Amino acid sequence: MSTPPQQHPAYGPAPGPGAYPQAPAPGPYHQAPASGPYQQPYHHAPGPAPCQICGAVPAAPVTVRGHQGMLVIMRFLKREGVFCRTCALASFRDMQADTMVLGWWGPLSVLITPFTLLANLGALSGIRRIPEPVAPGFRPPLDPGKPVFKRPAGILALIPMGLLGLAVFAFTVLLGIGLVTGGSHSADHPTLTVGSCARNDATWPEQDLAPESCDSSDAELRVTTPTDDSCAAGDYLAYLEYSEDGHTSLCLHRLKG
Ligand SMILES: [Zn+2]
């Protein structure tokens, strides 16, 4: 609002009285916002923000994390900002290598560190998508140095990571064995007790037995104890896994039909 009075005198004298009312009046007014174009390139330049560290473009938002375990206490580290590919790679490698050495030294840290390292691998895939710097910045970018596994830290870290991998592998195997052996016992099959009743949901001679109240019309079988290790004529021998300990023979006496 204060600009027109200033620009009027400036514009006014030059074109003379004729142009005075038309051109300058709307002119400066329209140019004031239009002189935005003057500022816009200026505003747009930081649009594709340059690297915070070296000023190079292109750059992109990057977050890399670190972890330090110190027996009881631990530190969560984070380096976050808009970085060019080179500076981001340097940050990733430093954080990753430090975490690989300093990350393991605590009971919780042993668990946190693998997740930190994995999260950084996710960040790395993002970093790899940043194009190489095209316009250099106001200072040289950080030195990315050697890849993590070509550093002593990365080589040392193979020991805890190998042990951890072994532990996870062993746990998975044990869990698998537990499911296989435990599963064939009571986990899959209900337990039948002598004197109770059951029904068979499968077709004989297959057995898919389920306990059933003896009063129920669905009860087909009564569970009995074998005499002299054999079941009475016409009775079935239940699969061993239906007994309480998984080793006892049980007979199934048909209630009907
Ligand atoms: Zn940079």
Side-chain angles (χ1 to χ4, degrees), residues 35-239:
S35 82
Y38 218 119
Q39 287 178 326
Q40 263 169 12
Y42 208 73
H43 270 296
H44 265 281
C51 173
Q52 283 176 5
I53 296 170
C54 70
V57 279
V62 171
T63 305
V64 287
R65 291 166 200 280
H67 186 78
Q68 291 180 12
M70 289 166 280
L71 297 183
V72 204
I73 51 167
M74 48 194 175
R75 284 172 73 192
F76 293 84
L77 308 168
K78 189 162 123 177
R79 205 181 287 177
E80 192 175 26
V82 174
F83 303 142
C84 69
R85 182 190 170 102
T86 314
C87 292
L89 196 61
S91 302
F92 161 80
R93 286 178 178 172
D94 285 349
M95 283 289 225
Q96 196 79 332
D98 285 352
T99 301
M100 279 178 170
V101 173
L102 304 172
W104 309 98
W105 309 105
L108 278 176
S109 297
V110 164
L111 302 173
I112 294 165
T113 290
F115 287 102
T116 309
L117 297 174
L118 282 176
N120 279 345
L121 288 184
L124 178 64
S125 74
I127 292 168
R128 290 232 163 95
R129 283 197 292 270
I130 306 175
E132 291 285 347
V134 285
F138 43 81
R139 52 155 285 178
L142 297 179
D143 177 13
K146 288 181 182 173
V148 172
F149 282 108
K150 291 192 173 156
R151 300 180 183 198
I155 296 161
L156 261 176
L158 290 175
I159 298 165
M161 286 195 295
L163 289 175
L164 191 78
L166 212 62
V168 170
F169 176 74
F171 179 76
T172 314
V173 168
L174 287 176
L175 197 73
I177 292 172
L179 282 179
V180 169
T181 53
S184 68
H185 278 283
S186 51
D188 257 1
H189 298 281
T191 303
L192 301 178
T193 49
V194 174
S196 71
C197 294
R199 65 172 199 274
N200 185 19
D201 291 332
T203 320
W204 297 103
E206 282 172 39
Q207 294 182 16
D208 184 9
L209 304 176
E212 191 67 65
S213 163
C214 291
D215 299 326
S216 163
S217 59
D218 290 325
E220 304 166 39
L221 309 152
R222 184 182 291 277
V223 183
T224 59
T225 325
T227 43
D228 301 322
D229 284 325
S230 66
C231 297
D235 285 2
Y236 299 100
L237 186 66
Y239 290 162

